[in-house]
Amino acid sequence: MAQNDWKNRLGVVYSTNPDFHYEEAAEEVPATPEPSSQRLTVRIDRKQRGGKQVTLVEGFIGSQEDLAALARSLKVKCGVGGSAKDGEITIQGDLRDKVTSLLQEMGYKAKRGN
């Protein structure tokens, strides 16, 4: 069934070779650098959230699993909810000072934004 998935091969030119098997290019996962080499910005955002404040942590470089693990640890230590996607961590509430100090304790180069 996996070899008959035609949607993955939409841009492929037809081959007359009966032994030809299309191989998909593997997506490279960026290696997560050391925390001391990452520069994170912690800022507050209110846009499109009905007036509610959220703390955004921007600038994370690395895999989605490492981003989710960092977000999970920040949410647990702050005792609030949030999410992590597209290289950005969202934490509910105005916790810029607390999140900045937690990131610096973990070894990240974090600075407080607006």
Side-chain angles (χ1 to χ4, degrees), residues 51-114:
K52 306 277 196 237
Q53 299 175 346
V54 295
T55 303
L56 295 177
V57 180
E58 300 173 325
F60 184 83
I61 302 168
S63 67
Q64 195 67 21
E65 293 83 19
D66 293 336
L67 177 68
L70 178 62
R72 189 177 311 114
S73 67
L74 288 175
K75 291 187 299 183
V76 166
K77 290 179 181 179
C78 292
V80 295
S83 66
K85 57 185 168 186
D86 301 329
E88 183 176 86
I89 299 172
T90 305
I91 297 177
Q92 294 174 353
D94 183 6
L95 300 169
R96 291 175 286 182
D97 296 326
K98 187 172 185 178
V99 170
T100 304
S101 65
L102 286 171
L103 288 170
Q104 288 173 350
E105 287 174 9
M106 293 179 190
Y108 291 93
K109 292 180 183 175
K111 66 177 184 176
R112 186 176 185 262
N114 57 350

Side-chain angles (χ1 to χ4, degrees), residues 29-44:
V29 177
T32 305
E34 293 293 321
S36 60
S37 64
Q38 294 205 34
R39 300 186 63 160
L40 303 178
T41 304
V42 181
R43 66 181 186 92
I44 193 168

Side-chain angles (χ1 to χ4, degrees), residues 5-21:
D5 192 12
W6 57 271
K7 291 181 182 179
N8 292 333
R9 297 179 276 136
L10 282 177
V12 178
V13 178
Y14 180 75
S15 175
T16 58
N17 184 357
D19 297 328
F20 177 78
H21 295 288

